[in-house]
Amino acid sequence: MLKPKITATREQVSLDGLWAFATDAQVSGDAFAGRLDTKLEVAVPASYNDQFADAAIRDHVGWVFYQREVRVPRGWAGERILVRFDSATHAAKVYAGDALVGEHIGGYTPFDVDVTDHVTAGEVFRLTVAVDNRLTFETIPPGIVTDNADGTQSQEYKHDFYNYAGLARSVRLHSLPQTHISDITVVTDYEGTTGRVSYDVEASGTAEVTVELRDEDGAVVATGTGASGALEIADVTLWRPGAAYLYELVVRLDVGGVVADEYVQTVGVRTVEVRGTEFLINGEPFYFKGFGKHEDTAIRGKGHDDAFLVHDFQLLDWVGANSFRTSHYPYAEDVLEYADRQGMVIIDETAAVGLNMLIEAGITKSKLKYTFGPDVLGEASQAALLQHVRELIARDKNHPSVVMWSLINEPASNDAGSRAYFEPIVELARELDPTRPLTYSLVMFANAENDVIVDLFDVISLNRYYGWYITPGDLKTAEQYLRMDLATWEKFGKPVMMTEYGADTQPGAHSIWDGPWTEEYQANLLDMYHRVFDEVPYFVGEQVWNFADFQTSNGTHRVEGNKKGAFTRDRKPKAGAHALRRRWTSFGDAKPQN
Ligand code: GCB
């Protein structure tokens, strides 16, 4: 799915800014049509929850409404006119005037609504977006909604982060020519100094396709005709971790000698491969150093913010990280585009988090006794995940920064039913993208003996909390457990990495002892893990949980959210961040040598 871009044939108008806002409890009558009777305004892009000082909005369960007037540029007559939502968390209904013009389910992937037949170039129309934050056994991520006696509903979910909702990413009105490029797929390779860009263009009508590949100086390095083909680049400059290089593929549709549409697709030439127990980028062993992140800041919730994007990448660079996982959902496309330009390596994760009914926010506590089955996560849930994987790969397939798909975080992969649930998901991902390795993050309870899906994947990614949830305050025993655990995965002959390890840390808490929550404890725990990692020959990476503190649902084991960040929520380093910096700046992108 192509991100809207301004080109010679395409235009757009940003709809970011303040919109009228109300929850379904605040409007009477048919809230889904007509003018919204409200004095509230809400900022877009940003989750709505923390913008107001009103618990009834923050913890609202159900529909909320966003509304604004939109003027269609007068030059757009004859064009197709669409509204692009970079995300609406978790389900949306879109209205132009009173007409329902589109719906979407899934809170972290973009969608277009075609409003051509409902608007007029040069005139104003009323745009309303109803957004539902409810998570059920039919959504990804899943959740449980219960009806309360007072007519309201309560929401329960198994993931740790707060269920921020609303329009957290950009909204724009954009135009497309009637005959237009609807999709582009690029796959890259190289041999010696010759690069190869295979491309495939889909168009909405009959047209001649021409392509032109330009280097970073704008020089044309290859041209081609036809909807698919392969371009060769003499003396190619590869896209490398920490040293990005991006070509531009200019795709044009020609109808009767006139350019009907033009789109510019960035291309980084690089390969990824799992060979034996190694993870290779451009044929060279790569060692992941970095974090699981969240899209999470004060006030904005999950709202995308360019200043935080830039600052977070600066901190990643400062600490010596070369990668992160988009835990636990696809991030805004702006993040991936920036990663492409900065040479940051991304493990791109789906929103399949909390598919584990036996745990809650990292600890054991649940009424449900199993996860997969017709009355829990069954066919409807699986269909939702299949659709989500289609949308994720359609959106992110062309990003050189994305080197691996993480299809699930901490599923109940020790539950016998998980195999039937996940096998079709893995098959679909392989069919849609045969070029990238697949992984998923294994919960502590899934071990080398009882996990029933590990053989389906290419890289074994472990989430382990020895020294925190297990043997807290006892790093000696934690070290023994960790060493034993890592040894058990050797038999699979695959690369193993740690996608979560860490300790909640209250900045300013100190101790000379191994005291959980202190800054020293976080640093010592990380050092202990690293000592063990460096002993394991098939180990390919370490991603600490988490880059920064983040907001969670209410719980007695959280103090104003999850505090496992190396940085605080406002991005100040804890002692752990300094410990990581000492280690990660001491070696490059290859595994540290003992
Ligand atoms: C996990 C989850 C992550 C939690 C973390 C924790 O295993 O994958 O979402 O935030 O544990 O801190 O409990």
Side-chain angles (χ1 to χ4, degrees):
M1 182 183 207
L2 300 178
K3 189 177 179 200
K5 280 188 187 169
I6 297 173
T7 72
T9 56
R10 297 165 173 235
E11 292 174 3
Q12 58 177 268
V13 174
S14 170
L15 301 182
D16 293 348
L18 292 171
W19 294 50
F21 179 83
T23 70
D24 60 2
Q26 292 165 319
V27 285
S28 50
D30 182 7
F32 288 85
R35 190 169 301 280
L36 214 49
D37 182 17
T38 178
K39 287 223 167 348
L40 297 177
E41 294 186 48
V42 71
V44 175
S47 307
Y48 61 78
N49 310 74
D50 289 353
Q51 293 188 48
F52 304 95
D54 185 348
I57 297 178
R58 184 173 200 265
D59 299 328
H60 177 72
V61 176
W63 292 100
V64 299
F65 303 93
Y66 287 73
Q67 191 171 80
R68 60 166 288 163
E69 298 210 320
V70 178
R71 182 174 291 277
V72 182
R74 61 183 171 171
W76 288 13
E79 303 290 291
R80 297 226 67 87
I81 299 167
L82 300 97
V83 186
R84 166 66 60 100
F85 295 89
D86 281 356
S87 69
T89 317
H90 297 281
K93 292 186 186 204
V94 181
Y95 298 80
D98 287 345
L100 176 66
V101 285
E103 292 183 64
H104 183 258
I105 295 174
Y108 301 100
T109 43
F111 59 98
D112 263 331
V113 174
D114 191 326
V115 295
T116 314
D117 298 338
H118 302 270
V119 303
T120 309
E123 291 186 9
V124 170
F125 73 99
R126 193 179 63 234
L127 178 62
T128 308
V129 191
V131 184
D132 189 356
N133 67 351
R134 283 172 294 186
L135 297 171
T136 68
F137 288 159
E138 304 194 354
T139 63
I140 295 295
I144 301 163
V145 174
T146 42
D147 294 325
N148 302 323
D150 64 358
T152 62
Q153 292 185 314
S154 295
Q155 173 79 68
E156 193 192 320
Y157 44 89
K158 303 295 173 185
H159 56 77
D160 187 22
F161 57 94
Y162 186 80
N163 186 31
Y164 281 117
L167 300 178
R169 298 178 188 161
S170 285
V171 183
R172 62 199 111 201
L173 189 73
H174 66 114
S175 73
L176 284 181
Q178 296 292 348
T179 301
H180 56 261
I181 299 156
S182 44
D183 199 15
I184 300 170
T185 307
V186 293
V187 174
T188 64
D189 201 355
Y190 66 93
E191 219 184 299
T193 57
T194 307
R196 169 182 270 258
V197 177
S198 305
Y199 69 90
D200 191 31
V201 176
E202 283 174 29
S204 70
T206 321
E208 182 123 326
V209 179
T210 62
V211 297
E212 194 175 278
L213 194 68
R214 296 185 193 146
D215 66 14
E216 285 194 351
D217 297 325
V220 176
V221 294
T223 58
T225 52
S228 57
L231 304 174
E232 298 219 323
I233 312 169
D235 263 330
V236 66
T237 305
L238 297 180
W239 186 97
R240 296 178 192 280
Y245 190 94
L246 295 172
Y247 292 88
E248 280 189 338
L249 183 72
V250 184
V251 180
R252 293 195 185 94
L253 293 187
D254 237 65
V255 179
V258 177
V259 177
D261 193 16
E262 179 186 278
Y263 191 85
V264 182
Q265 174 65 53
T266 50
V267 179
V269 180
R270 58 106 187 91
T271 59
V272 286
E273 189 193 342
V274 166
R275 197 186 299 155
T277 57
E278 289 184 317
F279 192 98
L280 307 177
I281 300 183
N282 299 332
E284 289 167 17
F286 181 77
Y287 190 83
F288 294 83
K289 302 184 280 187
F291 302 92
K293 277 185 105 264
H294 261 303
E295 291 189 309
D296 175 275
T297 56
I299 320 286
R300 299 165 186 79
K302 298 213 166 300
H304 175 74
D305 182 290
D306 279 341
F308 270 98
L309 171 67
V310 170
H311 192 60
D312 281 5
F313 273 64
Q314 287 284 304
L315 292 179
L316 288 166
D317 190 48
W318 174 86
V319 78
N322 59 13
S323 62
F324 64 85
R325 175 171 63 125
T326 69
S327 40
H328 294 309
Y329 37 82
Y331 290 3
E333 277 180 277
D334 316 60
V335 178
L336 296 179
E337 289 176 332
Y338 195 61
D340 289 345
R341 297 197 292 274
Q342 297 296 315
M344 185 61 66
V345 170
I346 305 291
I347 299 175
D348 201 354
E349 186 157 280
T350 70
V353 56
L355 280 70
N356 200 329
M357 296 302 146
L358 275 56
I359 59 170
E360 205 157 286
I363 56 169
T364 27
K365 171 181 148 215
S366 181
K367 296 179 260 326
L368 293 155
K369 294 287 167 260
Y370 60 96
T371 299
F372 302 100
D375 51 342
V376 195
L377 301 185
E379 268 175 36
S381 162
Q382 191 190 45
L385 181 50
L386 286 167
Q387 178 58 17
H388 176 61
V389 167
R390 273 183 215 110
E391 292 183 19
L392 171 64
I393 295 181
R395 191 194 74 163
D396 290 351
K397 63 187 171 185
N398 292 331
H399 288 288
S401 56
V402 174
V403 299
M404 177 153 67
W405 305 110
S406 170
L407 294 184
I408 335 149
N409 182 68
E410 298 197 346
S413 50
N414 51 337
D415 179 331
S418 73
R419 184 135 188 132
Y421 183 99
F422 288 119
E423 223 166 0
I425 312 285
V426 172
E427 276 166 21
L428 177 70
R430 292 218 188 271
E431 179 195 318
L432 295 174
D433 183 4
T435 73
R436 288 180 179 86
L438 302 178
T439 194
Y440 68 111
S441 288
L442 281 96
V443 68
M444 278 189 294
F445 315 108
N447 58 48
E449 304 309 317
N450 67 14
D451 187 284
V452 297
I453 61 170
V454 66
D455 60 298
L456 301 174
F457 293 81
D458 304 302
V459 173
I460 300 172
S461 299
L462 303 175
N463 292 356
R464 293 296 186 259
Y465 287 97
Y466 300 116
W468 190 254
Y469 295 122
I470 294 174
T471 68
D474 178 1
L475 291 181
K476 244 171 133 180
T477 310
E479 180 164 350
Q480 286 166 15
Y481 284 177
L482 175 65
R483 190 169 282 117
M484 282 179 340
D485 189 339
L486 292 188
T488 62
W489 300 95
E490 184 176 12
K491 64 178 181 189
F492 294 101
K494 297 181 189 224
V496 175
M497 67 182 288
M498 192 68 73
T499 38
E500 283 186 27
Y501 61 112
D504 280 275
T505 304
Q506 178 61 39
H510 294 287
S511 174
I512 56 167
W513 319 117
D514 270 345
W517 292 94
T518 64
E519 296 203 36
E520 288 80 4
Y521 189 71
Q522 184 184 38
N524 292 342
L525 180 142
L526 295 173
D527 284 348
M528 178 279 278
Y529 272 74
H530 298 150
R531 200 160 51 234
V532 178
F533 294 166
D534 290 349
E535 297 167 2
V536 182
Y538 42 89
F539 209 71
V540 299
E542 51 198 59
Q543 291 189 330
V544 172
W545 192 253
N546 188 284
F547 171 73
D549 296 345
F550 60 90
Q551 194 52 269
T552 60
S553 52
N554 294 339
T556 48
H557 66 308
R558 298 284 183 245
V559 185
E560 273 198 308
N562 189 308
K563 289 276 195 294
K564 293 195 186 68
F567 297 90
T568 60
R569 202 180 191 205
D570 61 353
R571 277 50 176 174
K572 302 253 172 48
K574 301 180 191 170
H578 289 282
L580 290 171
R581 183 168 193 249
R582 279 192 292 278
R583 172 173 168 84
W584 288 345
T585 56
S586 73
F587 62 94
D589 291 332
K591 202 173 161 56
Q593 297 303 319
N594 296 322

